[in-house]
Amino acid sequence: MGATPAEVEETLGGPKHGPAMATLRTVGFFIYFLGSCLFIHFSQLLGAPLYFCNKDYFYAYMAWTKEFFGLLVTTMTQWWSPTVIRLSGDKSMSGLIKQHKDGMLRMKLGERVVLMANHQIYTDWLYMWWIGYTNSPPMHGHIYIILKESLKWAPIIGPAMQFYGFIFMARKWSKDQERMRYRLRKLSTSKHSGPKSGALKGASLDPMWLLIFPEGTNVSANTRNGSKKYSEKMGIPDMKHQLLPRSTGLQFCLQECADTVEYLYDCTIGYEGIPHGLYGQDVFTLRSVYFQGRPPKSVNMHWRRFKIADLPVNDHDAMSQWVLDRWREKDELLEHFYQNGKFPGDPDAVEIEGGPQEKEWKTPYINTEVKPRNPVEFLQMFAPVTAAGWFAYSLVKAVDWVFGK
């Protein structure tokens, strides 16, 4: 039995903003988000002809516009949905999660990685994109996400994601395999090591962060019911807080990228404030989070790292079992989170600049927030279209001056 609206109110508190302010926030949000998306998409269209001139220039330009969207989701979250971001990890992450004196997070995951994560709600990929922004060097312009095909034709955003080289899956392996092979062989080309055997020659998509959600969709009452039925059909125990993962897509990604990618990173995401019996998408809706001012009390991320060379990527059954085992561990992590409000963490996984250095005093957690390094950094989203408009205006004025004489 699910929680009642009264229980949700008790857990999250009432709306922070009344109807008038919520309406104002709604209008402001859509003006900023949709306006920025239009500027970014027009910037993409301005650079589209580069594809026929020099593909390296084209991909570099699209990476620049991808940074714009990373800045958009960062500022959008900071202004409309500020919350505590708590990070932890196990020993495999030692030295890779750092907080500077200014409070900013600095991840050190590398320039070519595969990331996998559980899928709680729609904001998961926004926070993962922000993680790319925090990386040193920043990778928010080089993230590639594997998504369901229905998103491919979403107005404005769908074509923009196609320009970004995202991979869309129909969830039919006979249809998805060749499409993924084509995209992944482009992504598996590194400027440093050269293309792997069979990779496409020519332009390089390097650096590269490839993000995949093996559950395929976010957790809800319907998807949990489907996962339960599948587990009963297959005769395997179901998950408690997640969906049973699908290993085929992840295995294929690792096979194609193994020659140029050393590590697979695993992130377990948990949102504080979800009442028992409900799911994240029931509580943290667009309306409650961005318009009413009721974001999660904290967004928690627990990180692990696995060396791809140590994984059974060429054995389907063994790889399927490996992914299932990791998901059962993630389910235990989530159970610990819901019982204690935090994931377990290893103090060696995190480093706080200027913080206590003695091991017995070291905290296994970094608390930070989503924000840009520079408060005016987001203005670069509007630069290409503004510059093109100014150039067009100046050209028209020049032509008028020359021929108007």
Side-chain angles (χ1 to χ4, degrees), residues 53-330:
C53 303
N54 185 301
K55 289 186 179 180
D56 275 327
Y57 291 161
F58 170 79
Y59 292 132
Y61 182 88
M62 289 303 157
W64 185 40
T65 66
K66 195 181 292 186
E67 289 181 1
F68 297 165
F69 197 83
L71 288 171
L72 172 58
V73 299
T74 297
T75 52
M76 183 180 75
T77 303
Q78 180 194 27
W79 297 343
W80 275 275
S81 179
T83 189
V84 173
I85 309 295
R86 184 178 297 117
L87 293 98
S88 60
D90 66 6
K91 283 188 179 297
S92 68
M93 296 296 295
S94 180
L96 303 180
I97 309 175
K98 183 176 182 180
Q99 186 175 36
H100 283 199
K101 288 182 179 179
D102 60 4
M104 295 292 292
L105 177 68
R106 289 290 185 273
M107 302 292 283
K108 298 180 180 179
L109 306 189
E111 296 187 12
R112 293 190 60 79
V113 302
V114 175
L115 304 134
M116 68 178 184
N118 60 316
H119 206 356
Q120 295 285 295
I121 57 177
Y122 61 94
T123 54
D124 294 337
W125 62 273
L126 298 180
Y127 288 111
M128 296 297 287
W129 205 320
W130 168 73
I131 287 292
Y133 174 78
T134 69
N135 195 67
S136 182
M139 289 291 113
H140 57 303
H142 303 282
I143 190 166
Y144 298 87
I145 306 176
I146 298 178
L147 303 164
K148 54 186 178 183
E149 192 173 40
S150 59
L151 296 173
K152 187 175 183 178
W153 306 113
I156 302 175
I157 297 177
M161 291 191 294
Q162 293 182 55
F163 271 118
Y164 285 160
F166 289 176
I167 302 173
F168 299 92
M169 295 186 67
R171 298 182 184 175
K172 295 181 180 179
W173 190 238
S174 59
K175 182 178 179 181
D176 291 331
Q177 187 173 13
E178 284 307 312
R179 181 186 306 171
M180 285 191 69
R181 177 177 285 113
Y182 175 81
R183 292 299 307 160
L184 291 172
R185 288 194 173 179
K186 295 188 74 171
L187 292 174
S188 66
T189 302
S190 168
K191 291 178 181 177
H192 302 293
S193 61
K196 65 177 286 184
S197 176
L200 299 177
K201 296 181 178 179
S204 170
L205 296 176
D206 191 33
M208 179 275 292
W209 274 29
L210 179 62
L211 171 61
I212 183 170
F213 296 99
E215 289 165 273
T217 188
N218 57 299
V219 180
S220 67
N222 287 336
T223 57
R224 280 291 306 119
N225 185 52
S227 181
K228 181 180 179 181
K229 289 181 178 179
Y230 182 77
S231 68
E232 292 172 349
K233 176 182 176 181
M234 300 302 294
I236 57 177
D238 192 18
M239 299 289 167
K240 185 175 181 180
H241 304 291
Q242 305 173 104
L243 308 178
L244 287 170
R246 306 175 183 184
S247 62
T248 303
L250 175 63
Q251 180 178 4
F252 194 72
C253 290
L254 297 179
Q255 286 175 331
E256 291 295 323
C257 297
D259 289 351
T260 61
V261 178
E262 187 174 6
Y263 291 107
L264 166 68
Y265 288 89
D266 170 52
C267 180
T268 304
I269 304 176
Y271 295 86
E272 183 181 359
I274 302 175
H276 178 72
L278 286 186
Y279 301 98
Q281 72 164 26
D282 301 326
V283 179
F284 300 121
T285 63
L286 185 68
R287 180 170 178 264
S288 66
V289 171
Y290 291 101
F291 308 152
Q292 294 182 339
R294 295 196 294 177
K297 293 181 179 180
S298 66
V299 177
N300 295 257
M301 309 177 83
H302 184 273
W303 289 87
R304 301 184 292 178
R305 181 173 74 162
F306 303 96
K307 198 164 187 177
I308 295 175
D310 296 335
L311 307 184
V313 296
N314 295 315
D315 185 324
H316 179 271
D317 292 340
M319 189 66 196
S320 179
Q321 186 61 48
W322 185 90
V323 175
L324 185 61
D325 290 343
R326 301 294 78 74
W327 242 250
R328 298 211 183 281
E329 292 168 359
K330 289 163 77 69

Side-chain angles (χ1 to χ4, degrees), residues 287-400:
R287 180 170 178 264
S288 66
V289 171
Y290 291 101
F291 308 152
Q292 294 182 339
R294 295 196 294 177
K297 293 181 179 180
S298 66
V299 177
N300 295 257
M301 309 177 83
H302 184 273
W303 289 87
R304 301 184 292 178
R305 181 173 74 162
F306 303 96
K307 198 164 187 177
I308 295 175
D310 296 335
L311 307 184
V313 296
N314 295 315
D315 185 324
H316 179 271
D317 292 340
M319 189 66 196
S320 179
Q321 186 61 48
W322 185 90
V323 175
L324 185 61
D325 290 343
R326 301 294 78 74
W327 242 250
R328 298 211 183 281
E329 292 168 359
K330 289 163 77 69
D331 222 39
E332 293 174 2
L333 287 170
L334 284 165
E335 178 65 22
H336 184 280
F337 170 74
Y338 291 125
Q339 293 292 331
N340 300 279
K342 294 181 178 179
F343 287 118
D346 191 302
D348 291 334
V350 303
E351 179 182 347
I352 302 177
E353 194 174 69
Q357 298 301 313
E358 296 297 327
K359 189 169 183 179
E360 58 267 29
W361 294 104
K362 282 188 68 176
T363 173
Y365 305 101
I366 284 178
N367 292 320
T368 186
E369 59 182 315
V370 175
K371 64 179 182 180
R373 288 180 288 272
N374 186 313
V376 298
E377 190 177 5
F378 74 98
L379 293 175
Q380 64 182 273
M381 290 188 293
F382 313 109
V385 173
T386 301
W390 178 85
F391 177 79
Y393 174 79
S394 300
L395 185 61
V396 169
K397 295 292 286 186
V399 170
D400 285 345

